[in-house]
Amino acid sequence: MRIQVIAASDQCRRSLAVPKLHLVEDNMMRQTVQPMDRKMMRELNQNMLLNLIRLHAPISRTQLKKLSGLSLGTIVGITSALIEQELVIETGVAESTGGRKPGLLEVYPEGGYVVGIDLREHEVLGAILNLHGNIIYCDSWPAQLRNNAAHAVNILAHGTDAFIARSQIPRSKLLGLGCGISGPVNAQTGVNVDSWILNWHNVELARPLSEHLHMPVFTDNAVNCLACYKKLYGNGQKYRNFLLVTLGRGLGLATVIRDDPFRGAQGIGAEFGHIPFYFEDGRLCECGNYGCLEAYVSDHGILATYRSLAPDAPELPIQNLVKLAQEGDKVALQALERTGTYLGAGLATLVNLFNPECLIIEGSRDWGDLFLHTMKSSLQEHIFSQIGRDLELIVESNADLFNWARGAGCLVLRDFFSSPIRLNSMGPQETVRARSS
């Protein structure tokens, strides 16, 4: 098992990793083959070329011919249409092998924009992304969302409208809105099933927000949103099967299997934080159950462990506890080390179940080595057989909160770059794609 610890990346840095594109996606092949007319074939070819350009830019039409298997005439026609739609731009010329130097293509970053919002208890984080996934504008605004589900749509619609106006991005250039929420979300229906952090239950967001904002709206669990960003532009690009675990206010999990998020039968699967962890006299979790793993490794779980070790210690916020540990306080260090042991055991359960290529652990603060060594030891101790032999383990600090809004915006970009066949197999949420000419 290899471990890599990384700091938070700059929000506007474009990743240079260029994984190979699976030209015929597995999720396309898994669908029942339907009769295909010329319009659908052209949309598929356009989508394939757009993704090849996105992943391998700058790239020439001759290189696209080799990668796609399409004729040069077809490629010239489709790329000309993409340039006319301002989705692709010619950025230079490649070395000539004789004759005219071939032009180089890349996705035009200003060809369209997406909005991402991440919902917190008392505020909303917003980001606007270009087609390269870079944040070009971000802001936050107060919003009383906890215990206020009845007025949530109205609050979010007005707040997002004002945010877009402040950004000065023309609404005609906006492809859609992505919305990240804590707790289980049915991404197909756009319903927040349960958010114990917000105290929301069965709150429909996508359809009414779309009607208010006059644009497509996509909703998902906030960690799934973050994984969407990592798959498109971050350190999940080269992996087809990876897990993203987030630490902080709660304990989140996104499971990516063969390039797609795992959602379960009802669209709300993979609630890692609420697996039973402690069976006798377990701590009360925010969800109402006792003994959930989240009650031991989230921020409030760490503080509860500290209080159990130092019952006479005064109440303190999590950042103060981390600071104490960094300064060598033995009880604070013991609380974090014990948390690492708990987390490692839980992570081993995930690895044994899913056998991922990569496990990404992301915290809301820089933990350093405060619990990494006990987490690693516990993880290795509980992994079954050879499952963890080639596992890549990445631990990083997500100090930039706007990356959560960036992930939400990537829901729209994921849809924008998705295959038409994949979109046709999805649920009723409205979709956006490059128009076929």
Side-chain angles (χ1 to χ4, degrees):
M1 180 170 61
R2 301 181 297 278
I3 290 187
Q4 181 182 4
V5 180
I6 357 184
S9 60
D10 180 82
Q11 68 175 15
C12 293
R13 186 176 62 198
R14 183 181 177 194
S15 172
L16 298 179
V18 283
K20 292 183 179 179
L21 177 69
H22 300 273
L23 298 183
V24 181
E25 296 174 301
D26 283 356
N27 55 15
M28 289 169 54
M29 297 176 68
R30 291 196 297 271
Q31 307 299 328
T32 303
V33 177
Q34 300 293 332
M36 190 175 298
D37 58 19
R38 293 181 63 182
K39 181 176 181 294
M40 176 60 76
M41 179 63 73
R42 184 173 180 82
E43 286 186 355
L44 283 170
N45 289 338
Q46 177 173 285
N47 173 262
M48 177 171 62
L49 292 179
L50 187 61
N51 274 289
L52 284 170
I53 294 168
R54 176 176 69 88
L55 292 170
H56 297 280
I59 186 171
S60 69
R61 292 170 179 83
T62 302
Q63 291 171 311
L64 286 173
K65 180 178 183 296
K66 292 178 181 178
L67 289 172
S68 69
L70 298 176
S71 71
L72 191 58
T74 298
I75 291 170
V76 168
I78 291 176
T79 56
S80 296
L82 290 172
I83 291 172
E84 184 178 344
Q85 296 169 46
E86 296 186 339
L87 297 176
V88 167
I89 189 172
E90 210 159 29
T91 58
V93 292
E95 290 296 324
S96 174
T97 56
R100 181 181 176 184
K101 290 184 178 181
L104 295 177
L105 304 172
E106 69 173 52
V107 171
Y108 180 46
E110 279 70 53
Y113 302 92
V114 301
V115 184
I117 57 174
D118 182 67
L119 310 189
R120 305 281 164 134
E121 291 171 282
H122 308 294
E123 70 173 343
V124 176
L125 304 177
I128 294 182
L129 283 59
N130 62 20
L131 293 186
H132 284 176
N134 292 329
I135 296 177
I136 63 163
Y137 180 76
C138 58
D139 196 5
S140 63
W141 58 95
Q144 185 55 49
L145 297 177
R146 181 170 172 79
N147 300 320
N148 205 7
H151 301 98
V153 170
N154 190 53
I155 292 171
L156 294 174
H158 284 87
T160 303
D161 268 331
F163 169 67
I164 293 170
R166 291 194 299 273
S167 76
Q168 299 184 344
I169 297 295
R171 291 185 76 100
S172 60
K173 299 283 284 186
L174 295 177
L175 301 174
L177 169 75
C179 181
I181 320 164
S182 60
V185 177
N186 189 320
Q188 299 299 308
T189 62
V191 172
N192 177 220
V193 179
D194 287 299
S195 173
W196 291 278
I197 289 177
L198 298 179
N199 194 24
W200 289 6
H201 305 283
N202 293 312
V203 179
E204 185 180 16
L205 288 176
R207 183 191 58 79
L209 270 179
S210 180
E211 292 174 354
H212 276 77
L213 297 170
H214 307 291
M215 66 175 70
V217 173
F218 302 83
T219 58
D220 208 339
N221 170 269
V223 185
N224 281 345
C225 294
L226 196 59
C228 184
Y229 158 65
K230 291 186 179 296
K231 179 60 184 173
L232 282 175
Y233 302 106
N235 50 24
Q237 288 184 88
K238 64 180 179 179
Y239 303 109
R240 301 203 66 199
N241 304 277
F242 72 89
L243 307 177
L244 170 65
V245 173
T246 59
L247 307 173
R249 176 66 173 77
L251 174 64
L253 169 69
T255 306
V256 176
I257 300 176
R258 301 181 78 178
D259 298 324
D260 282 327
F262 170 78
R263 302 191 186 282
Q266 297 175 332
I268 56 174
E271 276 297 322
F272 177 46
H274 301 284
I275 63 172
F277 178 71
Y278 206 94
F279 293 97
E280 294 184 9
D281 300 320
R283 294 175 186 167
L284 177 64
C285 181
E286 284 189 316
C287 74
N289 289 332
Y290 288 86
C292 295
L293 182 59
E294 183 173 296
Y296 292 85
V297 300
S298 62
D299 286 351
H300 58 86
I302 297 171
L303 291 172
T305 299
Y306 177 72
R307 287 192 297 271
S308 72
L309 296 170
D312 296 328
E315 295 283 336
L316 74 168
I318 185 66
Q319 58 267 27
N320 289 12
L321 175 61
V322 173
K323 186 177 180 181
L324 281 176
Q326 290 170 337
E327 294 172 349
D329 182 274
K330 291 183 179 180
V331 180
L333 278 170
Q334 187 180 358
L336 288 171
E337 288 170 352
R338 188 170 294 186
T339 299
T341 301
Y342 297 155
L343 178 60
L347 294 174
T349 301
L350 293 180
V351 173
N352 292 340
L353 282 172
F354 293 106
N355 187 23
E357 301 166 74
C358 180
L359 174 59
I360 303 171
I361 302 169
E362 185 156 311
S364 57
R365 55 191 53 84
D366 187 5
W367 297 100
D369 294 327
L370 295 177
F371 67 78
L372 183 60
H373 64 289
T374 55
M375 182 198 73
K376 179 186 174 184
S377 297
S378 181
L379 173 60
Q380 290 178 327
E381 179 183 352
H382 293 97
I383 287 179
F384 176 72
S385 186
Q386 300 294 309
I387 288 178
R389 184 180 59 188
D390 298 319
L391 176 68
E392 186 85 23
L393 177 61
I394 298 174
V395 182
E396 57 185 347
S397 168
N398 185 8
D400 186 354
L401 289 179
F402 285 102
N403 273 336
W404 292 93
R406 186 184 201 177
C410 284
L411 294 178
V412 189
L413 290 174
R414 180 176 184 268
D415 179 88
F416 181 78
F417 289 111
S418 285
S419 156
I421 287 182
R422 179 181 177 279
L423 294 176
N424 287 344
S425 71
M426 294 172 67
Q429 279 207 54
E430 197 171 357
T431 57
V432 276
R433 289 201 308 271
R435 298 186 305 274
S436 61
S437 61

